[in-house]
Amino acid sequence: MLVSFLCTKLKLPWAILLAGLFLSGCSVFIDAHQTTFDPKGPIARDQLTLFYITLGVVTFIFVVVASILLYAVVRYRAKPGSGQETLPEQTHGNPLLEAGVVAASIALLVVIAVPTVRSAIYIYTVPEDGEILEVTATGYQWWWTFEYPELGVMTANEMWIPKETNIRINLRTQDVIHSFWVPKLAGKVDMIPNRNNWMWLRADEEGMFHGQCAEFCGESHANMLFRVISVGRDEFDAWVARQRQPGRDPATADDPLALAGRELFQTKGCVQCHHVEGLGLDGGILGPDLTHFGERHTVAAGLLANTPENLAAWIRDPERIKPGNLMTAGVVNQNLTEPEIERLVAYLKSLNLN
Ligand code: CUA
């Protein structure tokens, strides 16, 4: 609709240019969270360099071919009244020219192929210099778990990493094919059932980097986001120490609202899908582990900021926020009242050792 509007209101070349910018998300010009033009790690930088090399080669081909075409069109056009309206003399075959074009094509492909192969090897070779931290990322419809096997830590939707450290990520899926992509750091590599894919990445600096599932995996594929949080070594160690603790107990914190919320969390079925370490019940793995939910930045797998209002909206009507999610059925069955939602929000927000 937008394109047809532009075509009728503007001259066609401008319409095409504007539509192109619109469709590309204009990510080159604005501070986009998911742009690949602002790499913050060696893998993303390598991929961007490869993109520029390819872009350079195809631009060169375009300019050469278009120039020859334009020259031929102008130079050999039939001029009215010149007696050239009939076809000019046809020629066939020019071995030197044909061999030259074939050789030039091969040379240009080699220019692309050499850095591509080098890059493919680089992406699958974790540098041996220094520590390698291992994380197992598992995709679910439509959220993520992040497990640190060497550290005994399990979390969901937010992957903390120490900056300037090589991270090896094992890519797993619990259901369909997903794809792990952090545009500013690395990607994309598919998470395929019964196949142990992996990738590595490193963040140059501290920061919160947006991640996104990059393989269509169902109706809320576009809502399957996550965050990579890169911090200094000390902050990372402190985070790990907190993650190893059980969930904060509202009874010891003199927090009656959160205490009432914990009661509801157990009786309203939340605990059947969500695990909270220390609750004394073995929560399921159908939903994210919520042991330290209170210190997460987002709710609903990176979709909303973790504010009490957003959390309440999510519990009240998850279907509106993430169509097709598993929690909708549970919420509908429980028919939660507003005071109950308020208590649940208080409990979940209290799960914070920070
Ligand atoms: Cu998971 Cu798309």
Side-chain angles (χ1 to χ4, degrees):
M1 199 180 84
L2 178 88
V3 175
S4 67
F5 169 79
L6 288 172
C7 288
T8 50
K9 292 289 172 193
L10 297 167
K11 291 267 188 289
L12 189 64
W14 284 107
I16 291 171
L17 181 68
L18 282 174
L21 287 175
F22 175 76
L23 292 172
S24 73
C26 308
S27 62
V28 185
F29 307 107
I30 56 172
D31 179 26
H33 292 303
Q34 294 189 10
T35 176
T36 49
F37 289 95
D38 181 27
K40 299 292 187 202
I43 298 274
R45 212 159 26 246
D46 191 72
Q47 291 172 328
L48 183 61
T49 304
L50 193 56
F51 170 77
Y52 281 135
I53 291 171
T54 310
L55 183 69
V57 169
V58 297
T59 305
F60 172 75
I61 293 170
F62 173 77
V63 169
V64 169
V65 172
S67 303
I68 293 171
L69 181 68
L70 209 62
Y71 172 79
V73 166
V74 174
R75 171 77 177 72
Y76 297 106
R77 72 188 190 283
K79 300 176 193 75
S82 65
Q84 290 178 344
E85 284 83 357
T86 52
L87 282 176
E89 190 192 337
Q90 298 297 294
T91 61
H92 179 71
N94 186 329
L96 196 65
L97 188 66
E98 285 162 18
V101 170
V102 169
S105 303
I106 292 172
L108 289 171
L109 284 176
V110 168
V111 170
I112 295 176
V114 169
T116 301
V117 172
R118 196 203 57 76
S119 200
I121 295 170
Y122 178 66
I123 283 171
Y124 284 106
T125 314
V126 191
E128 296 286 339
D129 56 322
E131 176 202 5
I132 299 172
L133 178 67
E134 195 162 319
V135 182
T136 299
T138 307
Y140 294 74
Q141 285 173 313
W142 292 273
W143 55 282
W144 315 76
T145 63
F146 298 107
E147 208 175 336
Y148 300 68
E150 297 149 346
L151 304 175
V153 165
M154 161 82 119
T155 186
N157 300 328
E158 292 183 11
M159 181 174 108
W160 284 57
I161 56 170
K163 67 169 179 176
E164 292 169 337
T165 303
N166 298 325
I167 316 290
R168 188 194 143 104
I169 308 173
N170 305 311
L171 301 166
R172 305 286 182 266
T173 171
Q174 196 65 26
D175 35 52
V176 299
I177 299 176
H178 303 277
S179 181
F180 190 89
W181 187 35
V182 194
K184 291 191 181 187
L185 296 180
K188 316 155 177 174
V189 179
D190 279 2
M191 304 163 125
I192 301 172
N194 300 319
R195 187 185 160 121
N196 294 344
N197 277 354
W198 66 276
M199 67 190 289
W200 75 274
L201 57 77
R202 182 169 71 219
D204 297 333
E205 54 188 65
E206 294 181 21
M208 176 143 46
F209 303 104
H210 288 232
Q212 162 78 50
C213 179
E215 178 75 45
F216 181 72
C217 56
E219 61 184 311
S220 268
H221 152 70
N223 298 326
M224 188 172 169
L225 286 63
F226 63 102
R227 298 285 190 276
V228 174
I229 296 159
S230 166
V231 294
R233 189 78 226 188
D234 293 347
E235 203 180 333
F236 179 75
D237 291 342
W239 176 80
V240 169
R242 285 200 304 280
Q243 297 304 303
R244 284 173 168 165
Q245 301 293 315
R248 182 174 167 275
D249 183 356
T252 60
D254 192 24
D255 191 343
L257 200 61
L259 198 59
R262 187 179 69 175
E263 191 69 31
L264 290 169
F265 189 82
Q266 290 166 309
T267 55
K268 291 288 183 181
C270 312
V271 78
Q272 284 169 18
C273 300
H274 295 285
H275 183 71
V276 174
E277 188 65 36
L279 204 55
L281 292 163
D282 189 20
I285 54 149
L286 284 174
D289 183 299
L290 299 178
T291 304
H292 303 289
F293 175 80
E295 62 173 272
R296 295 213 186 119
H297 296 81
T298 61
V299 56
L303 264 185
L304 307 169
N306 188 2
T307 62
E309 297 75 30
N310 284 343
L311 185 52
W314 169 241
I315 295 171
R316 191 178 296 123
D317 187 4
E319 191 64 18
R320 189 179 62 80
I321 292 163
K322 187 179 284 190
N325 80 87
L326 286 178
M327 196 166 99
T328 299
V331 168
V332 169
N333 287 342
Q334 293 302 335
N335 213 355
L336 294 164
T337 65
E338 284 304 311
E340 284 173 339
I341 291 173
E342 192 190 349
R343 281 172 223 154
L344 279 168
V345 168
Y347 171 59
L348 293 169
K349 293 295 285 181
S350 80
L351 291 169
N352 187 351
L353 296 174
N354 223 334

